[in-house]
Amino acid sequence: ILKRLLKDEL
Amino acid sequence: MNIFRLAGDLSHLAAIIVLLLKIWKTRSCAGISGKSQILFALVFTTRYLDLFTNFISPYNTVMKMIYLGCAYATVYLIYMKFKATYDGNHDTFRAEFLVVPVGGLAFLVNHEFSPLEILWTFSIYLESVAILPQLFMISKTGEAETITTHYLFALGMYRALYLINWIWRYYFENFFDLIAIVAGCVQTILYCDFFYLYITKVLQGKKLSLPA
């Protein structure tokens, strides 16, 4: 499962 | 972006705006925990450090700036402009009991041992408990203004909607972030007893008052 790649959430 | 995340962001934005307007219009921050607002300002500051270095989208940048601006404006109104109406005697939760353990945990449990990632992790953990001083203050005063309950409801719903967003992203985007999910669950669970009171009392037109 991809861990959080980039912080695209607020 | 999915509907749950957008609804969550709009709920969060509504909460922040409602609080700011409540303080500004009534020129009073009675019943509001200044400590929680300081913690929220700290959450946004440590989470949005990449605001100018990591462009995601105009929406992302604009929302981050609004959140940061409103958070600091709210803290300013509470501790400077309407300081006389700040109820410090009931806002007594020891915020350092939150910041220190959360800081330690961010060092120990994170995705990557780098400054930006540790600060992001710190902000995620801190956000999950930042509302405690506010909930504690309401339990001490035994009541809350109706507008304050609407603020808390919108704030609690935002992360609940994010939980659904993460389920959605797990199935459709193969996206999974355990730290954000666990912290989001803790954060939403802390609102449960408030949600119960909100739905059984405030939505029935009654005032929110806790059994003293």
Side-chain angles (χ1 to χ4, degrees):
Chain A
I1 301 287
L2 301 178
K3 85 169 181 57
R4 172 183 279 274
L5 287 183
L6 81 162
K7 310 282 182 251
D8 64 343
E9 292 180 340
L10 289 177
Chain B
M1 174 62 82
N2 60 68
I3 184 67
F4 300 108
R5 192 165 122 211
L6 181 62
D9 289 341
L10 295 179
S11 182
H12 194 188
L13 181 66
I16 290 172
I17 301 292
V18 158
L19 179 66
L20 198 55
L21 284 182
K22 175 251 185 264
I23 298 175
W24 181 256
K25 294 277 185 197
T26 64
R27 304 183 71 75
S28 161
C29 58
I32 302 298
S33 164
K35 295 189 176 187
S36 277
Q37 297 313 312
I38 290 176
L39 293 178
F40 284 125
L42 185 58
V43 164
F44 294 138
T45 306
T46 52
R47 187 174 304 179
Y48 300 154
L49 292 169
D50 61 352
L51 175 60
F52 300 113
T53 57
N54 184 8
F55 180 77
I56 307 280
S57 71
Y59 168 81
N60 191 275
T61 303
V62 167
M63 289 292 272
K64 285 177 176 178
M65 293 172 89
I66 294 173
Y67 286 1
L68 276 166
C70 290
Y72 280 100
T74 303
V75 169
Y76 164 75
L77 291 184
I78 292 172
Y79 285 100
M80 313 274 196
K81 195 156 179 64
F82 302 127
K83 182 178 177 59
T85 64
Y86 172 55
D87 182 6
N89 300 321
H90 288 111
D91 190 10
T92 55
F93 193 97
R94 301 291 301 277
E96 52 274 28
F97 288 173
L98 297 176
V99 175
V100 175
V102 158
L105 189 63
F107 255 87
L108 296 173
V109 181
N110 51 60
H111 288 316
E112 179 193 352
F113 198 76
S114 68
L116 217 51
E117 187 66 22
I118 287 176
L119 283 169
W120 175 85
T121 308
F122 169 78
S123 87
I124 291 289
Y125 293 153
L126 184 61
E127 187 188 10
S128 62
V129 293
I131 200 61
L132 282 175
Q134 179 66 66
L135 297 177
F136 179 76
M137 182 175 190
I138 290 176
S139 69
K140 273 195 87 171
T141 56
E143 56 158 15
E145 287 180 45
T146 300
I147 189 70
T148 306
T149 63
H150 296 321
Y151 156 72
L152 283 169
F153 180 72
L155 199 59
M157 282 309 292
Y158 130 73
R159 215 59 177 171
L161 289 162
Y162 255 70
L163 292 177
I164 306 172
N165 151 65
W166 286 322
I167 295 171
W168 174 286
R169 296 190 76 178
Y170 177 78
Y171 284 115
F172 295 104
E173 299 172 30
N174 209 14
F175 175 99
F176 182 70
D177 183 332
L178 192 60
I179 285 178
I181 291 170
V182 171
C185 288
V186 168
Q187 182 169 339
T188 305
I189 287 168
L190 289 178
Y191 282 86
C192 283
D193 62 337
F194 167 77
F195 281 148
Y196 173 76
L197 287 170
Y198 183 81
I199 290 166
T200 56
K201 289 201 176 174
V202 178
L203 293 189
Q204 313 298 338
K206 302 188 194 92
K207 185 158 175 51
L208 187 132
S209 57
L210 302 174

